[in-house]
Amino acid sequence: MDDIVRQAIAKWPNVPDCYGWLGLDARGQWYMRDDPTQAAGPFPQARGSLLRHDKLIEFIHRNYERDAQGRWFFQNGPQRVFVELEAAPLVLRVGPEAEVTAHTGQALAVQSTWIDETGRLYAATPLGLGLVHSLDMHAAAELVDQGRWQPQEVAAADLPTRFGHVLSPAAQNARPSR
């Protein structure tokens, strides 16, 4: 987390959280979701505006974390902006030497691999669950063929519970507390 963000949190500790305004798709792209977009439906059916500003995206990446409930958020100064996820909290790129990097730029070790009923390939990492980027499926398939990755079958609907992440903090926040 950036030092300026830590300072803002200390200065304004009681800023309300923000839900529904930021989405991460299955290709690691960020979307800003204004009120009309949110009214049009949940993410990813109603995506919003694709973020293209490199410095803003870098800032989001440096300040992207999860809380104890498995909700991923962008710490925007003193405010937590909870992220709507299309598939997983991380999108993974697989390099030519089998190196794995999150969409945030962090190098990660793969602990296990999983394949869902639609053929999407996921990897568990120390940071969290990541979806292998569709452009890197050829490299991932080679790792499977070599026996370096041995994907286990899993239902996509079971992934959030199994790996402790929340796909829609906004939907979770809208439910009444018990």
Side-chain angles (χ1 to χ4, degrees), residues 123-140:
T125 75
L127 191 57
L129 185 70
L131 172 67
V132 174
H133 195 288
S134 59
L135 292 177
D136 295 337
M137 286 302 290
H138 181 73

Side-chain angles (χ1 to χ4, degrees), residues 20-24 30-33 51 60 74 81-84:
W21 282 80
L22 188 62
L24 178 69
W30 295 101
Y31 288 84
M32 184 64 64
R33 305 182 69 244
L51 293 182
I60 291 171
F74 156 51
V81 179
F82 286 97
V83 177
E84 300 293 295

Side-chain angles (χ1 to χ4, degrees), residues 20-21 23 32-48 84 168 170-171:
W21 282 80
M32 184 64 64
R33 305 182 69 244
D34 60 12
D35 282 330
T37 300
Q38 291 180 52
F43 189 79
Q45 289 79 22
R47 289 186 187 272
E84 300 293 295
S168 179

Side-chain angles (χ1 to χ4, degrees), residues 11-148:
K11 189 171 183 179
W12 300 288
N14 298 317
V15 174
D17 295 334
C18 180
Y19 293 89
W21 282 80
L22 188 62
L24 178 69
D25 77 1
R27 295 175 68 84
Q29 299 177 112
W30 295 101
Y31 288 84
M32 184 64 64
R33 305 182 69 244
D34 60 12
D35 282 330
T37 300
Q38 291 180 52
F43 189 79
Q45 289 79 22
R47 289 186 187 272
S49 301
L50 177 65
L51 293 182
R52 298 185 186 273
H53 191 279
D54 290 338
K55 295 294 182 191
L56 174 58
I57 293 168
E58 290 169 12
F59 182 63
I60 291 171
H61 288 171
R62 288 192 312 271
N63 297 286
Y64 182 55
E65 299 181 10
R66 69 176 163 201
D67 68 9
Q69 290 80 42
R71 301 174 301 176
W72 285 76
F73 62 92
F74 156 51
Q75 188 71 48
N76 184 26
Q79 185 174 54
R80 281 190 176 179
V81 179
F82 286 97
V83 177
E84 300 293 295
L85 305 171
E86 180 174 348
L90 304 169
V91 177
L92 306 176
R93 301 306 308 257
V94 181
E97 303 300 320
E99 66 275 13
V100 175
T101 307
H103 70 281
T104 57
Q106 295 164 283
L108 298 170
V110 171
Q111 299 168 321
S112 61
T113 54
W114 303 83
I115 191 162
D116 73 12
E117 64 276 7
T118 66
R120 284 184 164 179
L121 182 62
Y122 301 83
T125 75
L127 191 57
L129 185 70
L131 172 67
V132 174
H133 195 288
S134 59
L135 292 177
D136 295 337
M137 286 302 290
H138 181 73
E142 288 196 19
L143 293 170
V144 171
D145 287 345
Q146 295 167 4
R148 295 170 68 184

